[in-house]
Amino acid sequence: MYGNDFPGEDAPGGLLGEVEAAEAALRAAAERGRAAAEPGSDLAAYFAEVVDADQKIEPRDWMPEAYRRTLIRQIAQHAHSEIIGMQPEGNWISRAPSLKRKAILLAKVQDEAGHGLYLYAAAETLGVSRDELVDLLLDGRQKYSSIFNYPTLSWADVGAIGWLVDGAAIVNQVPLCRCSYGPYARAMIRVCKEESFHQRQGYEILHTLAHGTAAQKAMAQDSVDRWWYPSLAMFGPPDGDSTHSAQSMAWKIKRFSNDELRQRFVDMCVGQAEALGLRLPDPELRWNDERQAYDFTQPDYDELMRVIKGNGPCNRQRMEHRRRAHSEGAWVREAAAAYAAKRAVKEKEKVAA
Amino acid sequence: MSRQHTPLWEVFVRARRGLAHTHVGSLHAPDAELALRNARDLYTRRQEGVSIWVVPASAITASSPDEKDAFFDPAADKVYRHPTFYEVPDGVAHL
């Protein structure tokens, strides 16, 4: 089981257990009564009460404007990440080492597109249109995860992305299955169920390489060396510097702090790296008996800020590719719309006749 | 940039024969046929369903949570609609 076993929660074990527990909690919370079952005149109090009861806020409920804006920003950024995230892996589809690996990678990249679409749909329930969201990404006014601005230089990177990048994403995303906004929580449950395949396929690629020839093992090690710190940086700046955290925690959009999740991820990876026979590139990594957790070297947050600001190794390439794909797909959208319009006219004529 | 307004569709999937169609999410598509194909690719990649409905989101009329109080009130005070409301005398079977 490569999933994350969170201490203190007695789920059936692993990632899928966590997701199922979140799903069960969602149902249980929906059945629990609250003191005031209906929204009275005080909408803000009603909102707070629903959130406090761990129930879900739904699209047509009243919500604070800042809650709506925070969710749109977060869900859109998440959706953009899934869409841009197809590029580094898509880079290896034509060069996958076997037909089996190629079919699996195709399925995985298709899943990423699907995850982007679930999330765009969840964002749209907050009153923003798909067109606006696409424009925000293409104009660079909304971000995507900094991790996708790093290049995939070898086949082993496809493995490292699955194991470390998807692994970090899962640690981030499993708590989002319990987010207070219903459509986001439900989308995340779908996403997480599919992500566990992604993480395992990545781990399997690395395991195969690490137990292959010396050159293959070196390729796997090089890949882990390059992806480890960027993956740690995926959890965002340290708690002290994180601007949105406190309010998001109060609204139960976010359940754990950046540093807590980063620690979970490190603790989870150490044993998995041992099983691979690969080394995590951190000489300071060691068990701390007092904290019952691993001590580790923090990622370079200045580098994270540089990449977020647009100066990572692949930022320009990723955005150019996305813009080109969007404009080259214009004729497909136009043709489909023209065909739909023509058919609608014909249908109308048929009804009139 | 071309601006194509594609309508929103709500997707309902029947997981197995014998179960009702359940709402699973939404998607954009220019027409019903493409909505159905997109829904297959988006919501049933892992055999989640044996049948799909797509409905234009604009065709759905929803009750608003704001009017929940008044709208669903008539059901609240009719406990006699539930069998548990009635007392069955001791010894009476098949009721």
Side-chain angles (χ1 to χ4, degrees):
Chain A
M1 184 68 59
Y2 314 124
N4 33 331
D5 296 292
F6 293 169
E9 296 187 37
D10 50 2
L15 163 76
L16 286 175
E18 283 294 321
V19 176
E20 265 154 34
E23 211 174 1
L26 188 148
R27 289 212 192 87
E31 278 162 20
R32 266 201 310 275
R34 285 183 311 275
E38 307 304 332
S41 51
D42 191 349
L43 292 171
Y46 179 72
F47 171 87
E49 204 183 296
V50 172
V51 171
D52 285 347
D54 277 332
Q55 295 191 347
K56 303 297 171 196
I57 301 295
E58 295 297 339
R60 298 183 72 191
D61 288 339
W62 180 89
M63 60 187 85
E65 204 36 47
Y67 176 84
R68 181 188 302 276
R69 277 200 310 273
T70 301
L71 275 170
I72 290 177
R73 182 181 55 78
Q74 182 174 333
I75 300 173
Q77 186 167 316
H78 196 160
H80 300 329
S81 301
E82 301 282 356
I83 298 299
I84 297 286
M86 290 193 278
Q87 290 185 40
E89 291 178 294
N91 184 33
W92 282 91
I93 290 176
S94 62
R95 293 174 288 166
S98 70
L99 192 55
K100 182 188 103 175
R101 297 286 186 199
K102 183 174 179 155
I104 292 173
L105 188 54
L106 267 170
K108 177 173 191 280
V109 172
Q110 192 193 11
D111 271 356
E112 308 293 3
H115 296 174
L117 293 178
Y118 302 153
L119 289 159
Y120 280 131
E124 283 182 277
T125 63
L126 292 157
V128 63
S129 77
R130 175 76 56 90
D131 290 338
E132 276 174 80
L133 294 172
V134 170
D135 282 352
L136 285 166
L137 172 65
L138 296 182
D139 297 348
R141 282 179 293 147
Q142 271 182 345
K143 308 279 183 211
Y144 54 87
S145 177
S146 59
I147 193 77
F148 300 119
N149 292 313
Y150 290 87
T152 39
L153 303 177
S154 71
W155 169 251
D157 286 5
V158 175
I161 287 185
W163 177 42
L164 295 174
V165 175
D166 290 329
I170 287 170
V171 171
N172 251 327
Q173 289 170 1
V174 166
L176 290 175
C177 295
R178 295 173 184 266
C179 164
S180 60
Y181 187 59
Y184 192 27
R186 292 190 290 271
M188 289 321 302
I189 287 172
R190 287 189 76 87
V191 169
C192 285
K193 283 184 176 172
E194 299 182 0
E195 283 289 345
S196 69
F197 134 59
H198 296 181
Q199 195 189 14
R200 286 181 191 199
Q201 69 86 33
Y203 193 82
E204 194 207 53
I205 288 174
L206 286 181
H207 194 268
T208 304
L209 289 172
H211 294 81
T213 64
Q216 285 172 326
K217 185 168 185 181
M219 189 205 278
Q221 182 62 58
D222 168 66
S223 176
V224 170
D225 288 349
R226 280 181 291 110
W227 289 94
W228 174 248
Y229 286 106
S231 298
L232 291 187
M234 282 174 70
F235 295 94
D239 292 349
D241 304 339
S242 182
T243 42
H244 305 292
S245 280
Q247 182 61 73
S248 284
M249 301 265 265
W251 279 330
K252 297 194 182 172
I253 293 174
K254 206 173 159 162
R255 297 304 189 115
F256 302 97
S257 78
N258 294 353
D259 286 335
E260 279 174 300
L261 293 172
R262 194 170 3 247
Q263 180 73 57
R264 254 180 213 179
F265 177 66
V266 171
D267 292 347
M268 193 181 97
C269 284
V270 174
Q272 294 172 359
E274 274 167 20
L276 286 175
L278 296 176
R279 185 179 41 81
L280 295 174
D282 181 357
E284 307 302 321
L285 186 71
R286 62 179 60 89
W287 180 251
N288 183 325
D289 214 32
E290 211 171 293
R291 291 199 308 119
Q292 286 294 300
Y294 283 91
D295 289 337
F296 62 97
T297 306
Q298 294 289 322
D300 180 351
Y301 293 113
D302 293 336
E303 175 181 319
L304 173 65
M305 286 305 139
R306 277 200 303 280
V307 178
I308 288 177
K309 290 217 164 75
N311 296 311
C314 300
N315 294 57
R316 272 170 285 273
Q317 186 189 335
R318 299 290 185 239
M319 286 309 297
E320 267 165 32
H321 183 89
R322 184 85 279 280
R323 289 196 190 100
R324 193 171 60 242
H326 189 72
S327 60
E328 284 177 358
W331 71 270
V332 178
R333 297 190 292 277
E334 281 158 17
Y339 179 70
K342 210 163 101 183
R343 289 242 310 207
V345 170
K346 273 196 186 153
E347 283 296 314
K348 221 182 257 172
E349 282 167 0
K350 227 193 281 171
V351 172
Chain B
M1 209 162 299
S2 64
R3 185 125 314 301
Q4 298 293 342
H5 176 75
T6 54
L8 189 67
W9 301 77
E10 297 299 335
V11 182
F12 299 79
V13 171
R14 182 202 292 284
R16 284 187 302 281
R17 196 166 279 283
L19 297 179
H21 284 76
T22 307
H23 183 244
V24 292
S26 54
L27 53 79
H28 286 275
D31 59 25
E33 202 177 314
L34 274 176
L36 209 51
R37 282 167 188 274
N38 290 353
R40 177 200 57 192
D41 291 346
L42 190 55
Y43 291 107
T44 59
R45 285 196 303 281
R46 288 173 174 76
Q47 299 180 303
E48 288 94 338
V50 293
S51 162
I52 303 177
W53 290 346
V54 289
V55 180
S58 60
I60 293 176
T61 310
S63 69
S64 152
D66 300 346
E67 64 205 26
K68 203 180 168 195
D69 236 348
F71 199 70
F72 294 100
D73 247 7
D77 59 358
K78 293 178 181 63
V79 282
Y80 45 82
R81 280 200 163 126
H82 298 277
T84 47
F85 175 76
Y86 302 92
E87 259 179 55
V88 179
D90 286 342
V92 177
H94 310 299
L95 193 67

